[in-house]
């Protein structure tokens, strides 16, 4: 019973990590300090469409997502492996008799 509670807590923490990391990764604003020094006449020559700059905050968000996904995979793998081990323990082979 205690193992199930721990499993649900770890799985919940993994889900929270994924959501918080995704929110940080997607919604943290990025400032470009060097853009203020660009010349006005040359402003249309370089655009940020398609670029996704990685700041330390966004790197932390990506790390939270990765850790959350890994925790979720570990917990689900443990649950599925435990179920198959319990089933094989109670399964009897008729050829053994």
């Amino acid at each position: 019973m205690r193992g199930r509670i721990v499993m649900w807590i770890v799985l919940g923490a993994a889900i929270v990590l994924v959501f918080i990391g995704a929110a940080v990764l997607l919604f943290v604003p990025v400032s470009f300090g060097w853009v203020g020094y660009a010349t006005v006449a040359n402003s249309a020559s370089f655009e940020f469409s398609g670029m996704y700059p990685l700041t330390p905050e966004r790197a932390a968000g990506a790390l939270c997502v990765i850790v959350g996904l890994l925790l979720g995979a570990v917990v689900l793998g443990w649950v599925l492996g435990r179920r198959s081990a319990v089933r094989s323990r109670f399964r009897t082979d008729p050829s053994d008799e």
Side-chain angles (χ1 to χ4, degrees):
M1 185 69 170
R2 187 174 179 187
R4 286 186 183 180
I5 293 171
V6 171
M7 176 199 60
W8 283 108
I9 290 172
V10 172
L11 191 59
I15 291 170
V16 168
L17 274 174
V18 168
F19 280 120
I20 289 175
V24 168
L25 186 64
L26 295 175
F27 298 123
V28 169
V30 177
S31 64
F32 300 101
W34 53 268
V35 175
Y37 301 111
T39 60
V40 178
N42 224 2
S43 63
S45 65
F46 187 74
E47 295 181 6
F48 287 106
S49 61
M51 289 184 71
Y52 198 74
L54 189 62
T55 62
E57 294 86 8
R58 287 187 173 185
L63 182 67
C64 284
V65 169
I66 291 169
V67 168
L69 289 174
L70 285 174
L71 272 175
V74 166
V75 169
L76 291 177
W78 179 71
V79 168
L80 293 175
R82 188 170 175 239
R83 283 184 183 174
S84 65
V86 170
R87 284 184 186 161
S88 67
R89 188 181 315 156
F90 292 112
R91 201 176 281 167
T92 58
D93 192 8
S95 63
D96 289 341
E97 295 176 357

